[in-house]
Amino acid sequence: MDDKKLFRIASEARKKAYSPYSKFNVGAAVLTSSGKVYAGCNIENATYGATCCAERVAIFKAVSEGETNIKKIAIEGDNDGLTFPCGICRQVMAEFAPDMRVVLGKKNGEIEIFSLNQDLLPHTFELD
Ligand code: THU
């Protein structure tokens, strides 16, 4: 699946965001090595701390279906420009693909490509 199509799926997922506290809606979609796509949105909680980002919802959906080989992720947030994944999500992404392709886009559909280990999370934490 090409980057733009995956980004459109992330954009659709953003519409399902449960974000009554921040009102900041995020959508994400991951493509796995089997060719399947899992989408997610941010899910907030009244405790705030129990909130889960869209990226982790999408990744955890894939992994809980036995799909740990993730090729790329697309993300759309509420910013005017690109929405970059938070630090916790970067580390979760690195768990499943240190060299994950990260497709970030704006609401006008323009996308930019980043590499997880080269651009977003060099020197990932690893257990020996
Ligand atoms: N959020 C994400 O879904 N992904 C990120 O990478 C950063 C932040 C969500 C969490 C919260 O629901 C809202 O955006 C504001 O932080």
Side-chain angles (χ1 to χ4, degrees):
M1 171 174 302
D2 72 23
D3 295 337
K4 286 227 159 182
K5 176 96 197 287
L6 192 67
F7 180 69
R8 282 198 293 275
I9 294 171
S11 185
E12 272 303 302
R14 193 170 69 88
K15 295 177 185 165
K16 305 246 173 56
Y18 177 75
S19 54
Y21 306 104
S22 74
K23 300 188 170 44
F24 188 89
N25 301 335
V26 185
V30 295
L31 176 71
T32 68
S33 58
S34 73
K36 282 198 191 150
V37 173
Y38 296 85
C41 58
N42 52 326
I43 303 173
E44 297 188 345
N45 187 269
T47 64
Y48 288 40
T51 292
C52 194
C53 293
E55 296 90 327
R56 276 176 286 146
V57 171
I59 291 168
F60 293 162
K61 279 171 72 176
V63 173
S64 64
E65 293 298 321
E67 300 242 28
T68 53
N69 194 339
I70 294 172
K71 295 290 175 206
K72 56 183 171 180
I73 186 167
I75 305 162
E76 185 189 66
D78 257 337
N79 293 323
D80 287 337
L82 305 175
T83 297
F84 284 85
C86 80
I88 295 172
C89 289
R90 292 180 199 203
Q91 188 71 42
V92 170
M93 288 153 71
E95 182 76 22
F96 298 103
D99 58 349
M100 193 180 294
R101 184 176 175 87
V102 182
V103 180
L104 303 183
K106 301 180 190 169
K107 283 186 233 152
N108 67 7
E110 278 173 30
I111 58 168
E112 284 185 40
I113 309 303
F114 297 85
S115 152
L116 181 59
N117 56 4
Q118 287 174 39
D119 303 319
L120 302 181
L121 191 65
H123 309 295
T124 310
F125 173 76
E126 285 173 71
L127 288 172
D128 278 335

